[in-house]
Each structure stands twice: as structure tokens, then as C-alpha cells.
Amino acid sequence: SNIRTLINEFVSNQEKEYRQSIHEELSFCENTDYGIYSWYKMLEGNFLEPYENMQSYLLVTYEYTGGAHGIDSETGFTFDLTSGNRISEEDLFINGYKPILSELLTQKLPQTVDQDIYEILFITTIEPNENFYVTPEGITYVYERYEIAPYVCGIIEITIPWNELNHILK
């Protein structure tokens, strides 16, 4: 019931914020044949299959507040099932891991995206960004729209199998 209360409060606050931000335009639309604005916000979360003592939760959002298109995002949260604490990159990897992990991500990128997408990326040397989730297959890094590529390329996810990470895991 606490979760349901929090969700209802969130939805109520979002509606209030929306109505305050477009009060003048909404009043105009209610008095004409133009209809009303149709903003949209969606939040969806899913627990992923655990791996060893870790489990990830993937939060997916989509929001449309007018314009040519909405914006979506994915955020990974990984937890230690023993302690309940959130796991960071520093918890998983040895000191000095970033250049090695960056090289692995950079090598996987051309295998992950189509050639057409690869050619229009903003960058092709990929660095870890703390937005990851774990599954039995490996660690997946999530790069949001505009983070490394134009909107049209979508969210880019790069998975590195566990066996390719053994030399930098704690």
C-alpha cells in the first residue's frame, strides 16, 4: 500500500505540474474546437534475471511533452542480494579498470549497431557511464539517445560477456 500511495502522489504531482505549466494554453483549448494537449509520461520497471549475488532493476521511461517526438530512457540499478546495497562500477571492477573496460566497450560497439548507425555516431571510443545492468549473459551498458549518437539511433546497449571481463573483475 505504501508503493501504491507513492505512485498516486507521483501521478497527482505530475498532473498538477502539467496543468500549471500550460494553464493559459489549456484554458484557450477548452474554449475552442482545438481539443486539449496530450502529454504522456510512462514509467515501467522490471527486475532482470539475477546473476550470482546480484540483481538488476531496469527502469524504462517515456515522456512526450509536445514537439516532434517524445524521449525515452533506460536506467539500470544493480543490487547486492546479500546486503541490499546498490552496486557501482567500483564495486565490480579492480582499480584502473576504466581504460580496459572502455576498450572492451569500443570493440563491442561495431558488433552491436548496424553499419549505417555506426557511421553517424557522435563518438566511437566508448567509456563506461555508470548506467549498466547485469544478467547471466554479462554486463550491459546503456547509452541514452544523444549520449553517443543522434536521436534516430535510439538507445544503444552494449553487452560484454562475463568471460571477457574476468581479468578486471574483483
Side-chain angles (χ1 to χ4, degrees):
S1 66
N2 287 340
I3 292 174
R4 179 59 57 196
T5 301
L6 290 172
I7 291 171
N8 288 337
E9 286 176 12
F10 176 80
V11 169
S12 178
N13 288 337
Q14 290 293 308
E15 180 182 7
K16 182 180 176 183
E17 181 181 312
Y18 164 70
R19 290 188 180 280
Q20 287 174 345
S21 69
I22 64 157
H23 177 70
E24 186 176 316
E25 292 89 349
L26 188 59
S27 296
F28 172 77
C29 288
E30 288 173 347
N31 297 318
T32 66
D33 292 331
Y34 293 113
I36 62 169
Y37 286 85
S38 60
W39 284 13
Y40 178 81
K41 185 165 193 169
M42 183 268 313
L43 296 168
E44 179 180 284
N46 294 298
F47 283 102
L48 305 177
E49 187 176 352
Y51 176 71
E52 293 184 354
N53 67 331
M54 299 176 285
Q55 184 161 29
S56 291
Y57 184 80
L58 188 62
L59 179 64
V60 177
T61 64
Y62 177 81
E63 186 171 3
Y64 177 78
T65 56
H69 53 72
I71 191 78
D72 53 347
S73 71
E74 293 181 2
T75 307
F77 300 92
T78 299
F79 299 94
D80 182 317
L81 292 174
T82 307
S83 69
N85 294 329
R86 186 167 176 195
I87 296 173
S88 68
E89 289 175 354
E90 286 76 18
D91 297 325
L92 288 172
F93 301 111
I94 61 172
N95 289 337
Y97 73 92
K98 284 189 179 183
I100 301 165
L101 185 54
S102 179
E103 185 177 325
L104 289 169
L105 289 164
T106 299
Q107 288 172 0
K108 289 288 181 195
L109 181 60
Q111 302 164 24
T112 302
V113 299
D114 293 335
Q115 181 63 31
D116 293 342
I117 290 176
Y118 188 81
E119 291 175 4
I120 62 172
L121 293 173
F122 298 147
I123 58 172
T124 55
T125 301
I126 307 303
E127 295 184 5
N129 64 355
E130 287 283 347
N131 188 5
F132 67 90
Y133 59 85
V134 301
T135 64
E137 289 74 39
I139 296 176
T140 300
Y141 275 84
V142 179
Y143 297 90
E144 302 292 350
R145 293 181 189 268
Y146 300 117
E147 190 171 355
I148 64 171
Y151 178 90
V152 70
C153 297
I155 294 170
I156 297 173
E157 297 183 346
I158 304 171
T159 301
I160 303 175
W162 291 111
N163 64 343
E164 295 179 28
L165 294 165
N166 284 338
H167 62 293
I168 58 171
L169 290 172
K170 285 186 177 176

